Amino acid sequence: MKVVSVVGARPQFVKLAPVAQALDGAGHEHVIVHTGQHYDAAMSDVFFADLRIPAPDVHLAVGSGSHGVQTGAMLAAIEPVLADAAPDWVLVYGDTNSTLAGAVAAVKLHLPVAHLEAGLRSFNRLMPEEHNRVLTDHAADLLLAPTEVAMNHLANEGLAARSELVGDVMTDVCLQVRDAVAGDAPPAGLDRGGYLVATIHRAENTDDPDRLRAVVAALEALPVPVLLLAHPRLRARCEQHGIELGTGAVVVADPLPYPAMVGAVVGSRGVVTDSGGLQKEAFLLGRPCTTLRTETEWPETLADGWNALLPGLGGLDEVAVRPAPTAARGIPYGSGDAASRTVEALARRVVGE
Ligand code: UD1
């Protein structure tokens, strides 16, 4: 079986790592196409190095732009690569503009396309990621879902026949990395168990200057140190609107490589974020998470208060430092074998075999 993976943004590299390993382990041919959506070393190269992902076979160097410009440039650049490779499957990951571009390029060429992390929904049609998820799921031939909830969403949209539950590949990686970093010292000289890890990068928190100012002020006012791992988008918007980062409780730092990020969460007392992946990682690592959004694509994390949605910011100073719940967390994201189940599902459904 020949598979082309289309990736481009940070969370996709994490998802690619166990899939690349499983494809290689089963002796399949794998071509990695990097769109170049993320291009800073800290957002791209370190993930390939740390997670031992083979270097991309093709790098399209598309870079940043408005949604239409960026997605359109990717679409045009991916098409000849896929036509030339003629794989059994084009595999797209998650919900970024790279996902949508890869899916559209593949269907237009009548190449079978599989969507990994299918069926997630926020039901918030203002989110670019929601457009990307819905459009990709409806274009794809095989929908590889991480959870039962995702399977239900796909069934509700008439897509059950194309859907298969494989578990969450980010869980595979998180569980593999967790034990290796458990003893690492917390970053920036922070005390173990005494700080919060924060990330903010979603358009709904960064693009409106009043909202951005309120989010940064709420983090500054927290009663414990806040390690703010600043995504380039956050830094760019703060600079644009004259918002200073790194005052009050906030200790500002660059985005961390994946193992260091897992280590930082393990060493923390909790997480404040608007990232989807980090909500889940906090849950898997047993740290309470506060999510600065109105909804989550990972509702399993809300069970027993492990994750709390706090879009209004009111009471953040208490909610963010609440103790970890004592309730057991269950295993809604699978037990770490989602990548091998993904590869089995692809191999079973190769058209013409
Ligand atoms: C993208 C995804 C989002 C994902 C996030 C993970 C879409 C619509 N959004 O958001 O779902 O959670 O990646 O990080 O695809 N920039 C740099 N260097 C880089 C990349 C970006 O400086 O390597 C800056 C640029 O100013 C750019 C901005 O960040 O304009 C936004 O980048 P973009 O790729 O458009 O979206 P993200 O916010 O990273």
Side-chain angles (χ1 to χ4, degrees):
M1 173 173 71
K2 180 175 186 181
V3 176
V4 171
S5 284
V6 179
V7 293
R10 180 172 59 171
Q12 292 167 328
F13 310 139
V14 180
K15 291 165 206 178
L16 171 64
V19 173
Q21 210 176 30
L23 282 167
D24 186 47
H28 299 296
E29 191 181 350
H30 189 204
V31 177
I32 298 173
V33 178
H34 188 321
T35 63
Q37 176 169 354
H38 284 172
Y39 41 86
D40 288 350
M43 301 292 286
S44 176
D45 301 3
V46 292
F47 287 82
F48 281 82
D50 285 341
L51 298 175
R52 288 195 278 280
I53 307 168
D57 298 279
V58 181
H59 198 299
L60 302 173
V62 164
S64 303
S66 65
H67 291 291
V69 166
Q70 186 183 53
T71 312
M74 289 175 189
L75 183 54
I78 293 168
E79 184 175 61
V81 175
L82 295 185
D84 186 46
D88 296 301
W89 284 108
V90 177
L91 185 58
V92 296
Y93 300 69
D95 57 14
T96 75
N97 291 342
S98 298
T99 316
L100 179 62
V104 175
V107 286
K108 294 286 183 191
L109 292 167
H110 306 155
L111 290 170
V113 54
H115 182 204
L116 187 61
E117 209 177 76
L120 296 191
R121 295 290 181 270
S122 64
F123 301 102
N124 177 352
R125 295 298 290 253
L126 294 174
M127 289 176 69
E129 293 83 2
E130 187 74 353
H131 316 149
N132 292 339
R133 291 180 197 121
V134 172
L135 293 166
T136 302
D137 281 340
H138 284 259
D141 302 283
L142 175 59
L143 304 173
L144 300 162
T147 61
E148 291 285 357
V149 171
M151 288 293 282
N152 290 339
H153 291 152
L154 293 169
N156 289 341
E157 294 176 26
L159 300 172
R162 291 188 250 160
S163 306
E164 181 163 339
L165 179 64
V166 292
D168 173 47
V169 294
M170 286 183 106
T171 295
D172 296 14
V173 190
C174 187
L175 298 181
Q176 275 171 29
V177 167
R178 177 189 55 188
D179 300 332
V181 299
D184 290 2
L190 293 162
D191 292 333
R192 180 167 288 277
Y195 65 95
L196 294 166
V197 172
T199 73
I200 300 293
H201 76 277
R202 296 259 176 207
E204 62 257 44
N205 281 324
T206 56
D207 284 7
D208 170 20
D210 292 337
R211 170 70 184 176
L212 179 57
R213 208 165 273 119
V215 168
V216 172
L219 294 177
E220 283 168 353
L222 287 173
V224 299
V226 179
L227 179 67
L228 176 62
L229 303 170
H231 183 287
R233 181 189 193 109
L234 175 70
R235 287 213 195 251
R237 296 291 185 274
C238 284
E239 207 162 298
Q240 190 182 343
H241 301 301
I243 300 168
E244 197 185 336
L245 280 178
T247 59
V250 170
V251 179
V252 72
D254 286 333
L256 289 173
Y258 188 79
M261 171 66 133
V262 170
V265 173
V266 170
S268 76
R269 63 178 289 160
V271 168
V272 179
T273 191
D274 59 6
S275 149
L278 191 52
Q279 290 172 50
K280 205 175 23 170
E281 279 142 13
F283 177 85
L284 293 169
L285 299 170
R287 296 294 175 273
C289 181
T290 307
T291 299
L292 305 184
R293 288 183 47 199
T294 46
E295 68 282 305
T296 177
E297 298 78 13
W298 302 104
E300 304 81 6
T301 59
L302 299 172
D304 301 308
W306 280 99
N307 187 12
L309 298 174
L310 201 70
L313 303 171
L316 182 65
D317 53 343
E318 286 177 17
V319 177
V321 294
R322 70 193 186 282
T326 49
R329 302 192 296 288
I331 49 163
Y333 301 117
S335 47
D337 61 354
S340 53
R341 289 170 68 186
T342 294
V343 172
E344 280 161 26
L346 292 171
R348 216 184 311 122
R349 300 193 193 213
V350 169
V351 178
E353 282 190 8

